[in-house]
Amino acid sequence: MTRSSHRFAALSLTVSLLAACAMPPETDPPATTADARAIHERALVLDTHLDTPAFFDLPGWKITDRHSVATDTSEVDIPRMKEGGLDGGFFVIYTSSGPLTAEGYAVAKAHMIRRSDAILRVVRENPDAMQLALTADDAEKIAASGKRIVYVSVENSLGVGDDAAGMRSFMAELYKRGVRMASPVHVKQNQLADSANEPGRFGGFSPLGKQWLAEVNRLGMIPDASHASDAVFDQMLELSTTPIILSHSGPKAVFDHPRNIDDARIRRLAEKGGVIMINSIYLAPRTNNAEREKLSAELDKTPVGPRREEIARKIHAINQVSPVEKADFEMYMASMLHVLKLVGPDHVGLGADWDGGGGVAGMEDVAALPKITERLLAEGYSEADIRKILGGNVIRLLRAAEAAKGR
Ligand SMILES: [Zn+2]
């Protein structure tokens, strides 16, 4: 019996027992997978970390085409979002770490504008398939029209520079470009904050970083502490005027990694109304593969076509025998269920780092998302709980950010 059919059987049994109590004996129990699917379809499903814009400037790549992990490495497109019942999410303006110099800031800023332009262009070019969302209320309206919901977030605010006035004016521009969530830092400390991956030089935020956070609150964006050091997380929780988010993070108690967060901090996040969106990476030790890295670098520069497919197939073959992380759907769910038991369904959501290194065996792309709903149902979570986890919690945080705007 495969792992997947085993889970189906367990779910059938649970629902059969429930059905046996509630219905006449001659009534067949409802088809459990259909129940899970219906609940999933009724819910607003949002993931808070879609790195898909990394593909947007790739010649020939279209979000409306159905791609596959095996032939393209990508994990998100409109057809697979529909298959997986993913209504939308936060499309990320990601900037890699760089030099903390005037030139470094200028390069990062130009990159952020390019990526923002790419997101806005893809939305503009596909008006029947997707729509930019600017408020919490927009999500339900866009979902009702059958289009995918495009919120925009910033991962790593390096490009805001090191001058307070310049920072504020660029952040105002980002807000106008639709940004509603922002994180200060990535894998290397910058002018704003220390990173989770390094010892750190500020012991948290820099003085400018604290001004950055005040500006995030004033503009009505959700502050995001993923990738930041524990000290930054503590200060963000203390100083933010609205609940904060971890847009793609996991519990340290399940896998001890600097990018994951300890239970005491998750409890404090929840006490302040915040949410941790469960990541599908940092679930297991990581292994490097020189050949995969070489191929990945080539893939990033290769337009859609036979050569790109050939490279992607080679990467996929390497991943089958030597995955970056030996992690599967059960491990992803163990992470989510740990946090659910710790702080409950008001403080958990989806942030699997799709197209940014996410995806695990058994949940390789967003088409697999209904499995999460099926599993939560099997674990005894109600439809109301599941709806909060799938999208309700992030909407609540957006609403809180909007309410605090301008203060
Ligand atoms: Zn990330």
Side-chain angles (χ1 to χ4, degrees), residues 290-361:
E291 180 65 9
R292 175 172 49 221
E293 274 154 39
K294 208 179 103 207
L295 288 164
S296 297
E298 191 186 345
L299 186 86
D300 289 343
K301 292 176 280 183
T302 309
V304 174
R307 176 60 189 154
R308 184 178 168 83
E309 197 170 314
E310 188 191 340
I311 301 166
R313 282 190 195 281
K314 282 183 186 166
I315 293 172
H316 193 64
I318 292 171
N319 288 342
Q320 298 309 300
V321 289
S322 171
V324 179
E325 287 185 14
K326 213 169 162 25
D328 62 18
F329 178 69
E330 289 305 314
M331 292 162 81
Y332 180 77
M333 287 311 300
S335 215
M336 184 179 291
L337 292 168
H338 172 80
V339 181
L340 279 167
K341 286 189 184 95
L342 191 68
V343 290
D346 286 317
H347 307 287
V348 182
L350 310 179
D353 208 348
W354 296 114
D355 287 330
V360 290

Side-chain angles (χ1 to χ4, degrees), residues 17-50:
L17 290 172
L18 289 171
C21 305
M23 295 180 195
E26 65 273 19
T27 309
D28 284 330
T32 57
T33 52
D35 280 358
R37 184 79 213 191
I39 287 170
H40 192 81
E41 287 299 330
R42 279 198 293 271
L44 184 68
V45 185
L46 299 168
D47 182 287
T48 49
H49 205 80
L50 304 173

Side-chain angles (χ1 to χ4, degrees), residues 184 205 213 223-225 232-240 244:
F205 276 113
L213 176 62
D224 176 9
V232 173
F233 171 89
D234 294 343
Q235 292 172 7
M236 195 185 277
L237 201 59
E238 174 70 28
L239 298 171
S240 175
I244 74 170

Side-chain angles (χ1 to χ4, degrees), residues 222-225 233 236-237 240-247 261 265-277 339 343-349 388 392-398 400:
I222 303 172
D224 176 9
F233 171 89
M236 195 185 277
L237 201 59
S240 175
T241 58
T242 71
I244 74 170
I245 200 165
L246 289 158
S247 68
I261 188 158
R265 284 192 168 82
I266 296 172
R267 280 201 196 92
R268 288 191 357 245
L269 173 79
E271 280 162 16
K272 289 237 176 180
V275 187
I276 170 170
M277 317 302 283
V339 181
V343 290
D346 286 317
H347 307 287
V348 182
K388 290 178 190 171
N393 289 331
V394 65
I395 294 297
R396 171 172 62 77
L397 258 56
L398 264 174

Side-chain angles (χ1 to χ4, degrees), residues 49 155 186 227 248 259 353:
H49 205 80
E155 178 178 37
H186 196 239
H227 284 290
H248 57 306
R259 267 288 278 112
D353 208 348

Side-chain angles (χ1 to χ4, degrees), residues 52 56 60-67 74 76-83 122-123 125-130 148:
T52 315
F56 287 0
W61 199 92
K62 291 193 186 72
I63 198 166
T64 46
D65 289 344
R66 194 192 194 286
H67 308 267
S74 82
V76 181
D77 50 45
I78 301 287
R80 283 181 291 173
M81 289 175 86
K82 287 183 178 169
E83 272 176 59
V122 166
V123 171
E125 287 173 356
N126 298 286
D128 300 330
M130 53 210 298
R148 301 299 112 179

